[in-house]
Amino acid sequence: MSVLNTFDLSGKVALVTGCKRGIGKALAEALAEAGADIIGVSASLELENSKVAQSVEALGRKFYAYQCDFANRDSLYQFIEQVKKDHPVIDILFNNAGNILRKPAAEHPDEYWDQIIEINQNAQFVLTRELGKEMIARGSGKIVFTASLLTFQGGITVPGYAASKGAIGSLTKAFANEWASKGVNVNAIAPGYIATDNTEALRDDPERSASILGRIPAGRWGEPEDFKGPAVFLASKASDYVHGTILTVDGGWMGR
């Protein structure tokens, strides 16, 4: 098999959470470009004619749209039951759905903490467990979490987000330790500072934005399209011997 063929996802079905816009939309598009059909789910994803669906279908791939409130455990289990019924084989899972709420730690309310931990951590564990057991039974599967620079650092005014992303790093390794021998690859991508909705407040703050850009060796904010190559790599046969890795896509931030 040629090396380029190892990146081919033809015939695969990939589930991408948080795919309505930003990094998630780019992930879905990349996997479709590589040949996969896409199951897309977000809390507010349009069930018909969404922008991500249009992009995927323009590539000649199928797009199946779902809505799920990842902050609600009942909604999550209902989604899991339905998607497993509709799609008995899901080859690839991208756990990308997430949220961020900003308030200093001394003022950070319980409801902020609970919501972020439920969406960013608990829901991702449950979804991975439930779809992962099917992958184990088949002896193959690819699971990729969206981590963060705050998987490694503490951040400022986002204690819930930092805690959840630290947990994602550990969950990636914990799942990989148990499932690598069963044919299931579990890895993560850690975005740096990317021009998305989540970083709008930082980009709108001249002082913070300048400080951040000054620490990025690449000299620019990242774009969602920067994740297409890493996503296809971790979803494909090309990464068969990669387990428990957190791949930073950060313009060199962590190297500095």
Side-chain angles (χ1 to χ4, degrees):
M1 177 181 291
S2 76
V3 67
L4 291 180
N5 287 341
T6 66
F7 292 87
D8 185 12
L9 299 179
S10 297
K12 303 293 186 181
V13 176
L15 192 161
V16 182
T17 72
C19 68
K20 183 176 179 177
R21 56 185 175 268
I23 292 173
K25 180 173 179 287
L27 295 175
E29 291 169 348
L31 299 173
E33 287 180 45
D37 292 328
I38 307 299
I39 302 166
V41 56
S42 294
S44 59
L45 179 65
E46 300 90 343
L47 296 180
E48 294 184 5
N49 206 35
S50 66
K51 289 183 179 179
V52 63
Q54 292 175 32
S55 296
V56 168
E57 290 168 353
L59 294 164
R61 308 312 313 163
K62 295 177 181 177
F63 185 86
Y64 307 95
Y66 293 82
Q67 291 182 347
C68 177
D69 178 3
F70 290 100
N72 183 298
R73 193 70 61 91
D74 290 338
S75 176
L76 174 62
Y77 276 113
Q78 289 168 9
F79 164 68
I80 292 171
E81 180 181 4
Q82 187 63 53
V83 79
K84 288 173 71 172
K85 179 180 178 181
D86 295 343
H87 306 278
V89 177
I90 296 173
D91 304 286
I92 301 160
L93 168 62
F94 269 77
N95 279 305
N96 176 70
N99 197 9
I100 188 167
L101 294 172
R102 302 177 185 276
K103 195 172 278 288
E107 305 163 18
H108 210 78
D110 288 357
E111 54 267 28
Y112 275 29
W113 175 272
D114 291 343
Q115 180 181 335
I116 295 304
I117 294 298
E118 190 64 32
I119 295 172
N120 294 8
Q121 177 179 328
N122 296 346
Q124 298 195 31
F125 169 76
V126 171
L127 185 59
T128 301
R129 181 190 66 202
E130 294 304 307
L131 297 186
K133 64 179 63 175
E134 307 293 339
M135 295 178 179
I136 291 170
R138 295 193 303 271
S140 66
K142 301 280 185 172
I143 298 172
V144 183
F145 288 92
T146 296
S148 168
L149 291 183
L150 298 197
T151 299
F152 313 101
Q153 303 171 337
I156 300 171
T157 73
V158 288
Y161 184 84
S164 69
K165 292 301 183 178
I168 289 302
S170 292
L171 274 178
T172 298
K173 297 170 187 177
F175 279 122
N177 288 343
E178 293 191 36
W179 294 357
S181 64
K182 304 180 188 301
V184 179
N185 296 74
V186 185
N187 294 288
I189 295 174
Y193 285 92
I194 312 301
T196 65
D197 292 352
N198 276 1
T199 60
E200 185 175 4
L202 296 177
R203 288 181 286 116
D204 288 345
D205 182 330
E207 184 176 340
R208 288 293 306 280
S209 181
S211 174
I212 289 166
L213 280 173
R215 286 194 57 186
I216 301 174
R220 66 173 177 89
W221 288 77
E223 298 291 340
E225 288 71 21
D226 290 318
F227 295 85
K228 288 188 171 184
V232 172
F233 168 63
L234 289 177
S236 69
K237 186 173 178 60
S239 63
D240 276 357
Y241 200 58
V242 180
H243 297 275
T245 289
I246 303 171
L247 174 60
T248 54
V249 181
D250 62 357
W253 177 283
M254 288 302 294
R256 185 164 182 175

